[in-house]
Amino acid sequence: MPPRLEGLYAVTPDTVDSVSLLSQVAAVAPHIDILQYRNKSEDAALRLEQARALADLCRRHGVLFIVNDDVELAVQTGADGVHLGRDDAALSAARRRLGAAAVIGASCYDSLERARRAVEAGASYIAFGAVFPSATKPQAAQAPLSLFAAARALGAPMVAIGGIDAGNAGQVLRAGADALAVIGGLFARPDPAAAARELAEACRRAGR
């Protein structure tokens, strides 16, 4: 049975503090459906250590575990899949390395044409964003919410990212997003668990 590609999709903050990272993710894990490990550090040993710990945590909570950018790290940690951006490995190469059952997501930014190409290449889901101004990526182009209705015919689950919090989550879900990818709206909050509960409830109300 294919994995559920909807609901609350947490994306980790980029940090070298593994204890804090694991604590924060453990707090939100009961409320999320997907976790993406994102860390741009050059320290490969640190990233492997963190990813292995997060993969184990996700397995215990029944959360889908995705690695950002790094196909080999996904293989090493037994991740469910990988998320690729415009400068990462080709989707076709990732599919060959990870296999037919792997979840492979593709960042499509504000481009319907990029989404179409990703689906044709075998993407498991497509992601649009930033849907709102984002403190994590302040220079990101804004993706209009109308993209979700336009992309529905492509037939792939759609993820929204960028500036999403409990206050605007309903708007994004009504526009057609299947999953809400959230970084700051969870991990920059004083109480990540409470923020996760609110966002998860918004997803439930929308049938996600």
mmCIF file of all heavy atoms in Angstrom, residues 11-50:
data_model
loop_
_atom_site.group_PDB
_atom_site.id
_atom_site.type_symbol
_atom_site.label_atom_id
_atom_site.label_comp_id
_atom_site.label_asym_id
_atom_site.label_seq_id
_atom_site.Cartn_x
_atom_site.Cartn_y
_atom_site.Cartn_z
ATOM 1 N N VAL A 11 9.530 19.886 8.600
ATOM 2 C CA VAL A 11 10.879 19.967 8.026
ATOM 3 C C VAL A 11 11.803 20.467 9.129
ATOM 4 O O VAL A 11 11.540 21.513 9.747
ATOM 5 C CB VAL A 11 10.916 20.914 6.821
ATOM 6 C CG1 VAL A 11 12.325 20.960 6.225
ATOM 7 C CG2 VAL A 11 9.908 20.478 5.762
ATOM 8 N N THR A 12 12.876 19.749 9.388
ATOM 9 C CA THR A 12 13.727 20.080 10.526
ATOM 10 C C THR A 12 14.483 21.384 10.325
ATOM 11 O O THR A 12 14.874 21.719 9.205
ATOM 12 C CB THR A 12 14.756 18.971 10.798
ATOM 13 O OG1 THR A 12 15.633 18.837 9.671
ATOM 14 C CG2 THR A 12 14.081 17.643 11.088
ATOM 15 N N PRO A 13 14.744 22.096 11.412
ATOM 16 C CA PRO A 13 15.627 23.259 11.341
ATOM 17 C C PRO A 13 17.063 22.785 11.154
ATOM 18 O O PRO A 13 17.430 21.681 11.562
ATOM 19 C CB PRO A 13 15.436 23.924 12.711
ATOM 20 C CG PRO A 13 15.054 22.800 13.614
ATOM 21 C CD PRO A 13 14.255 21.835 12.775
ATOM 22 N N ASP A 14 17.867 23.604 10.540
ATOM 23 C CA ASP A 14 19.271 23.283 10.281
ATOM 24 C C ASP A 14 20.069 23.607 11.534
ATOM 25 O O ASP A 14 20.273 24.783 11.866
ATOM 26 C CB ASP A 14 19.748 24.112 9.087
ATOM 27 C CG ASP A 14 21.053 23.606 8.506
ATOM 28 O OD1 ASP A 14 21.815 22.963 9.250
ATOM 29 O OD2 ASP A 14 21.314 23.861 7.316
ATOM 30 N N THR A 15 20.534 22.587 12.258
ATOM 31 C CA THR A 15 21.232 22.823 13.518
ATOM 32 C C THR A 15 22.282 21.749 13.764
ATOM 33 O O THR A 15 22.122 20.600 13.340
ATOM 34 C CB THR A 15 20.238 22.852 14.699
ATOM 35 O OG1 THR A 15 20.961 23.047 15.918
ATOM 36 C CG2 THR A 15 19.450 21.551 14.801
ATOM 37 N N VAL A 16 23.335 22.121 14.482
ATOM 38 C CA VAL A 16 24.348 21.146 14.891
ATOM 39 C C VAL A 16 24.040 20.591 16.282
ATOM 40 O O VAL A 16 24.729 19.683 16.753
ATOM 41 C CB VAL A 16 25.768 21.762 14.876
ATOM 42 C CG1 VAL A 16 26.131 22.224 13.475
ATOM 43 C CG2 VAL A 16 25.885 22.923 15.863
ATOM 44 N N ASP A 17 23.032 21.131 16.939
ATOM 45 C CA ASP A 17 22.666 20.710 18.286
ATOM 46 C C ASP A 17 21.738 19.497 18.200
ATOM 47 O O ASP A 17 20.511 19.622 18.134
ATOM 48 C CB ASP A 17 21.992 21.859 19.032
ATOM 49 C CG ASP A 17 21.724 21.550 20.500
ATOM 50 O OD1 ASP A 17 21.731 20.359 20.870
ATOM 51 O OD2 ASP A 17 21.501 22.506 21.273
ATOM 52 N N SER A 18 22.319 18.320 18.208
ATOM 53 C CA SER A 18 21.536 17.099 18.010
ATOM 54 C C SER A 18 20.565 16.846 19.149
ATOM 55 O O SER A 18 19.447 16.349 18.924
ATOM 56 C CB SER A 18 22.468 15.903 17.854
ATOM 57 O OG SER A 18 23.313 16.057 16.721
ATOM 58 N N VAL A 19 20.954 17.167 20.364
ATOM 59 C CA VAL A 19 20.074 16.936 21.513
ATOM 60 C C VAL A 19 18.804 17.778 21.387
ATOM 61 O O VAL A 19 17.686 17.290 21.561
ATOM 62 C CB VAL A 19 20.801 17.249 22.840
ATOM 63 C CG1 VAL A 19 19.830 17.177 24.013
ATOM 64 C CG2 VAL A 19 21.956 16.277 23.050
ATOM 65 N N SER A 20 18.980 19.061 21.057
ATOM 66 C CA SER A 20 17.824 19.944 20.877
ATOM 67 C C SER A 20 16.959 19.487 19.708
ATOM 68 O O SER A 20 15.726 19.473 19.793
ATOM 69 C CB SER A 20 18.297 21.378 20.657
ATOM 70 O OG SER A 20 17.206 22.227 20.368
ATOM 71 N N LEU A 21 17.604 19.101 18.613
ATOM 72 C CA LEU A 21 16.867 18.655 17.428
ATOM 73 C C LEU A 21 15.995 17.451 17.757
ATOM 74 O O LEU A 21 14.798 17.428 17.438
ATOM 75 C CB LEU A 21 17.849 18.307 16.309
ATOM 76 C CG LEU A 21 17.234 17.718 15.035
ATOM 77 C CD1 LEU A 21 16.347 18.747 14.353
ATOM 78 C CD2 LEU A 21 18.322 17.231 14.091
ATOM 79 N N LEU A 22 16.580 16.454 18.400
ATOM 80 C CA LEU A 22 15.820 15.247 18.728
ATOM 81 C C LEU A 22 14.690 15.551 19.705
ATOM 82 O O LEU A 22 13.597 14.988 19.594
ATOM 83 C CB LEU A 22 16.756 14.191 19.306
ATOM 84 C CG LEU A 22 17.348 13.185 18.314
ATOM 85 C CD1 LEU A 22 16.273 12.248 17.786
ATOM 86 C CD2 LEU A 22 18.091 13.864 17.170
ATOM 87 N N SER A 23 14.942 16.450 20.640
ATOM 88 C CA SER A 23 13.911 16.824 21.604
ATOM 89 C C SER A 23 12.738 17.505 20.912
ATOM 90 O O SER A 23 11.565 17.210 21.197
ATOM 91 C CB SER A 23 14.511 17.743 22.669
ATOM 92 O OG SER A 23 13.521 18.208 23.551
ATOM 93 N N GLN A 24 13.041 18.428 20.011
ATOM 94 C CA GLN A 24 11.975 19.144 19.305
ATOM 95 C C GLN A 24 11.165 18.205 18.415
ATOM 96 O O GLN A 24 9.932 18.282 18.374
ATOM 97 C CB GLN A 24 12.579 20.268 18.463
ATOM 98 C CG GLN A 24 13.068 21.455 19.261
ATOM 99 C CD GLN A 24 13.547 22.561 18.338
ATOM 100 O OE1 GLN A 24 14.414 22.364 17.480
ATOM 101 N NE2 GLN A 24 12.982 23.735 18.502
ATOM 102 N N VAL A 25 11.852 17.336 17.691
ATOM 103 C CA VAL A 25 11.138 16.415 16.805
ATOM 104 C C VAL A 25 10.308 15.423 17.608
ATOM 105 O O VAL A 25 9.174 15.096 17.237
ATOM 106 C CB VAL A 25 12.105 15.696 15.853
ATOM 107 C CG1 VAL A 25 11.372 14.638 15.029
ATOM 108 C CG2 VAL A 25 12.776 16.698 14.914
ATOM 109 N N ALA A 26 10.846 14.949 18.735
ATOM 110 C CA ALA A 26 10.070 14.039 19.586
ATOM 111 C C ALA A 26 8.789 14.710 20.075
ATOM 112 O O ALA A 26 7.745 14.049 20.206
ATOM 113 C CB ALA A 26 10.924 13.586 20.770
ATOM 114 N N ALA A 27 8.851 16.015 20.318
ATOM 115 C CA ALA A 27 7.674 16.739 20.809
ATOM 116 C C ALA A 27 6.570 16.814 19.759
ATOM 117 O O ALA A 27 5.383 16.762 20.089
ATOM 118 C CB ALA A 27 8.076 18.146 21.260
ATOM 119 N N VAL A 28 6.948 16.961 18.490
ATOM 120 C CA VAL A 28 5.935 17.110 17.444
ATOM 121 C C VAL A 28 5.554 15.784 16.799
ATOM 122 O O VAL A 28 4.524 15.689 16.127
ATOM 123 C CB VAL A 28 6.388 18.106 16.345
ATOM 124 C CG1 VAL A 28 6.755 19.450 16.955
ATOM 125 C CG2 VAL A 28 7.540 17.565 15.511
ATOM 126 N N ALA A 29 6.371 14.741 16.994
ATOM 127 C CA ALA A 29 6.181 13.474 16.279
ATOM 128 C C ALA A 29 4.783 12.880 16.411
ATOM 129 O O ALA A 29 4.254 12.330 15.431
ATOM 130 C CB ALA A 29 7.234 12.468 16.725
ATOM 131 N N PRO A 30 4.119 12.967 17.579
ATOM 132 C CA PRO A 30 2.781 12.381 17.659
ATOM 133 C C PRO A 30 1.742 13.070 16.778
ATOM 134 O O PRO A 30 0.644 12.522 16.580
ATOM 135 C CB PRO A 30 2.415 12.551 19.150
ATOM 136 C CG PRO A 30 3.709 12.685 19.856
ATOM 137 C CD PRO A 30 4.582 13.441 18.903
ATOM 138 N N HIS A 31 2.074 14.242 16.254
ATOM 139 C CA HIS A 31 1.084 15.040 15.527
ATOM 140 C C HIS A 31 1.393 15.173 14.035
ATOM 141 O O HIS A 31 0.605 15.786 13.307
ATOM 142 C CB HIS A 31 1.006 16.440 16.143
ATOM 143 C CG HIS A 31 0.898 16.427 17.629
ATOM 144 N ND1 HIS A 31 -0.227 15.972 18.286
ATOM 145 C CD2 HIS A 31 1.796 16.779 18.596
ATOM 146 C CE1 HIS A 31 -0.026 16.060 19.598
ATOM 147 N NE2 HIS A 31 1.187 16.538 19.808
ATOM 148 N N ILE A 32 2.519 14.647 13.573
ATOM 149 C CA ILE A 32 2.907 14.845 12.179
ATOM 150 C C ILE A 32 2.757 13.548 11.389
ATOM 151 O O ILE A 32 2.711 12.454 11.945
ATOM 152 C CB ILE A 32 4.351 15.387 12.059
ATOM 153 C CG1 ILE A 32 5.371 14.347 12.542
ATOM 154 C CG2 ILE A 32 4.487 16.697 12.830
ATOM 155 C CD1 ILE A 32 6.830 14.791 12.366
ATOM 156 N N ASP A 33 2.691 13.692 10.069
ATOM 157 C CA ASP A 33 2.564 12.539 9.172
ATOM 158 C C ASP A 33 3.876 12.244 8.443
ATOM 159 O O ASP A 33 4.159 11.096 8.109
ATOM 160 C CB ASP A 33 1.455 12.805 8.149
ATOM 161 C CG ASP A 33 0.119 13.050 8.820
ATOM 162 O OD1 ASP A 33 -0.482 12.073 9.292
ATOM 163 O OD2 ASP A 33 -0.299 14.222 8.904
ATOM 164 N N ILE A 34 4.643 13.292 8.194
ATOM 165 C CA ILE A 34 5.890 13.178 7.424
ATOM 166 C C ILE A 34 6.934 14.058 8.100
ATOM 167 O O ILE A 34 6.612 15.145 8.594
ATOM 168 C CB ILE A 34 5.687 13.656 5.969
ATOM 169 C CG1 ILE A 34 4.502 12.939 5.303
ATOM 170 C CG2 ILE A 34 6.957 13.459 5.136
ATOM 171 C CD1 ILE A 34 4.056 13.578 3.986
ATOM 172 N N LEU A 35 8.176 13.586 8.106
ATOM 173 C CA LEU A 35 9.296 14.406 8.578
ATOM 174 C C LEU A 35 10.368 14.421 7.504
ATOM 175 O O LEU A 35 10.770 13.372 6.998
ATOM 176 C CB LEU A 35 9.897 13.859 9.868
ATOM 177 C CG LEU A 35 11.104 14.660 10.383
ATOM 178 C CD1 LEU A 35 10.646 15.970 11.024
ATOM 179 C CD2 LEU A 35 11.944 13.848 11.365
ATOM 180 N N GLN A 36 10.830 15.625 7.182
ATOM 181 C CA GLN A 36 11.975 15.760 6.276
ATOM 182 C C GLN A 36 13.180 16.243 7.077
ATOM 183 O O GLN A 36 13.111 17.270 7.758
ATOM 184 C CB GLN A 36 11.676 16.763 5.165
ATOM 185 C CG GLN A 36 12.827 16.920 4.178
ATOM 186 C CD GLN A 36 12.588 18.016 3.152
ATOM 187 O OE1 GLN A 36 13.450 18.847 2.894
ATOM 188 N NE2 GLN A 36 11.396 18.028 2.555
ATOM 189 N N TYR A 37 14.267 15.488 6.976
ATOM 190 C CA TYR A 37 15.520 15.910 7.615
ATOM 191 C C TYR A 37 16.270 16.801 6.637
ATOM 192 O O TYR A 37 16.669 16.380 5.558
ATOM 193 C CB TYR A 37 16.381 14.706 7.976
ATOM 194 C CG TYR A 37 17.758 15.082 8.476
ATOM 195 C CD1 TYR A 37 17.906 15.889 9.602
ATOM 196 C CD2 TYR A 37 18.905 14.644 7.821
ATOM 197 C CE1 TYR A 37 19.164 16.247 10.057
ATOM 198 C CE2 TYR A 37 20.169 14.987 8.279
ATOM 199 C CZ TYR A 37 20.293 15.794 9.388
ATOM 200 O OH TYR A 37 21.532 16.163 9.851
ATOM 201 N N ARG A 38 16.476 18.056 7.046
ATOM 202 C CA ARG A 38 17.151 19.038 6.208
ATOM 203 C C ARG A 38 18.309 19.636 7.000
ATOM 204 O O ARG A 38 18.109 20.268 8.038
ATOM 205 C CB ARG A 38 16.176 20.141 5.781
ATOM 206 C CG ARG A 38 16.769 21.189 4.844
ATOM 207 C CD ARG A 38 15.721 22.254 4.527
ATOM 208 N NE ARG A 38 16.219 23.223 3.570
ATOM 209 C CZ ARG A 38 16.965 24.277 3.893
ATOM 210 N NH1 ARG A 38 17.302 24.493 5.159
ATOM 211 N NH2 ARG A 38 17.376 25.108 2.957
ATOM 212 N N ASN A 39 19.539 19.421 6.520
ATOM 213 C CA ASN A 39 20.716 19.977 7.175
ATOM 214 C C ASN A 39 21.781 20.180 6.112
ATOM 215 O O ASN A 39 22.219 19.225 5.470
ATOM 216 C CB ASN A 39 21.223 19.035 8.273
ATOM 217 C CG ASN A 39 22.291 19.678 9.138
ATOM 218 O OD1 ASN A 39 23.135 20.423 8.648
ATOM 219 N ND2 ASN A 39 22.266 19.388 10.426
ATOM 220 N N LYS A 40 22.188 21.433 5.911
ATOM 221 C CA LYS A 40 23.144 21.767 4.854
ATOM 222 C C LYS A 40 24.592 21.738 5.346
ATOM 223 O O LYS A 40 25.498 22.171 4.634
ATOM 224 C CB LYS A 40 22.816 23.156 4.290
ATOM 225 C CG LYS A 40 21.422 23.272 3.690
ATOM 226 C CD LYS A 40 21.254 22.362 2.495
ATOM 227 C CE LYS A 40 19.911 22.577 1.818
ATOM 228 N NZ LYS A 40 19.734 21.717 0.633
ATOM 229 N N SER A 41 24.817 21.200 6.548
ATOM 230 C CA SER A 41 26.168 21.151 7.112
ATOM 231 C C SER A 41 27.103 20.328 6.233
ATOM 232 O O SER A 41 26.699 19.341 5.599
ATOM 233 C CB SER A 41 26.120 20.541 8.518
ATOM 234 O OG SER A 41 27.417 20.242 8.978
ATOM 235 N N GLU A 42 28.375 20.728 6.210
ATOM 236 C CA GLU A 42 29.396 19.959 5.493
ATOM 237 C C GLU A 42 29.862 18.763 6.321
ATOM 238 O O GLU A 42 30.644 17.935 5.840
ATOM 239 C CB GLU A 42 30.594 20.859 5.178
ATOM 240 C CG GLU A 42 30.288 22.005 4.224
ATOM 241 C CD GLU A 42 29.901 21.521 2.834
ATOM 242 O OE1 GLU A 42 30.468 20.505 2.384
ATOM 243 O OE2 GLU A 42 29.025 22.139 2.207
ATOM 244 N N ASP A 43 29.413 18.664 7.561
ATOM 245 C CA ASP A 43 29.839 17.601 8.463
ATOM 246 C C ASP A 43 29.010 16.339 8.197
ATOM 247 O O ASP A 43 27.913 16.160 8.733
ATOM 248 C CB ASP A 43 29.664 18.062 9.918
ATOM 249 C CG ASP A 43 30.256 17.095 10.925
ATOM 250 O OD1 ASP A 43 30.414 15.902 10.581
ATOM 251 O OD2 ASP A 43 30.555 17.533 12.048
ATOM 252 N N ALA A 44 29.562 15.452 7.371
ATOM 253 C CA ALA A 44 28.825 14.255 6.971
ATOM 254 C C ALA A 44 28.544 13.339 8.156
ATOM 255 O O ALA A 44 27.477 12.709 8.223
ATOM 256 C CB ALA A 44 29.598 13.498 5.901
ATOM 257 N N ALA A 45 29.484 13.253 9.099
ATOM 258 C CA ALA A 45 29.283 12.386 10.266
ATOM 259 C C ALA A 45 28.122 12.887 11.122
ATOM 260 O O ALA A 45 27.320 12.097 11.624
ATOM 261 C CB ALA A 45 30.560 12.309 11.087
ATOM 262 N N LEU A 46 28.044 14.205 11.288
ATOM 263 C CA LEU A 46 26.939 14.784 12.059
ATOM 264 C C LEU A 46 25.612 14.499 11.380
ATOM 265 O O LEU A 46 24.636 14.098 12.037
ATOM 266 C CB LEU A 46 27.138 16.292 12.212
ATOM 267 C CG LEU A 46 25.966 17.048 12.844
ATOM 268 C CD1 LEU A 46 25.852 16.721 14.321
ATOM 269 C CD2 LEU A 46 26.109 18.549 12.636
ATOM 270 N N ARG A 47 25.555 14.703 10.084
ATOM 271 C CA ARG A 47 24.300 14.491 9.364
ATOM 272 C C ARG A 47 23.871 13.023 9.431
ATOM 273 O O ARG A 47 22.689 12.720 9.573
ATOM 274 C CB ARG A 47 24.423 14.976 7.921
ATOM 275 C CG ARG A 47 24.586 16.498 7.838
ATOM 276 C CD ARG A 47 24.419 17.060 6.447
ATOM 277 N NE ARG A 47 25.403 16.532 5.528
ATOM 278 C CZ ARG A 47 25.138 15.762 4.483
ATOM 279 N NH1 ARG A 47 23.891 15.417 4.220
ATOM 280 N NH2 ARG A 47 26.093 15.342 3.689
ATOM 281 N N LEU A 48 24.831 12.107 9.344
ATOM 282 C CA LEU A 48 24.496 10.684 9.442
ATOM 283 C C LEU A 48 23.980 10.346 10.844
ATOM 284 O O LEU A 48 22.982 9.630 10.992
ATOM 285 C CB LEU A 48 25.722 9.836 9.112
ATOM 286 C CG LEU A 48 25.530 8.316 9.189
ATOM 287 C CD1 LEU A 48 24.424 7.852 8.252
ATOM 288 C CD2 LEU A 48 26.839 7.602 8.860
ATOM 289 N N GLU A 49 24.625 10.884 11.855
ATOM 290 C CA GLU A 49 24.201 10.643 13.238
ATOM 291 C C GLU A 49 22.784 11.156 13.466
ATOM 292 O O GLU A 49 21.929 10.456 14.013
ATOM 293 C CB GLU A 49 25.161 11.334 14.204
ATOM 294 C CG GLU A 49 24.729 11.284 15.659
ATOM 295 C CD GLU A 49 25.508 12.261 16.536
ATOM 296 O OE1 GLU A 49 26.458 12.890 16.060
ATOM 297 O OE2 GLU A 49 25.125 12.410 17.711
ATOM 298 N N GLN A 50 22.529 12.397 13.043
ATOM 299 C CA GLN A 50 21.204 12.977 13.233
ATOM 300 C C GLN A 50 20.149 12.220 12.433
ATOM 301 O O GLN A 50 19.055 11.923 12.948
ATOM 302 C CB GLN A 50 21.216 14.450 12.829
ATOM 303 C CG GLN A 50 22.008 15.342 13.764
ATOM 304 C CD GLN A 50 21.932 16.813 13.365
ATOM 305 O OE1 GLN A 50 21.540 17.156 12.245
ATOM 306 N NE2 GLN A 50 22.314 17.690 14.278
#
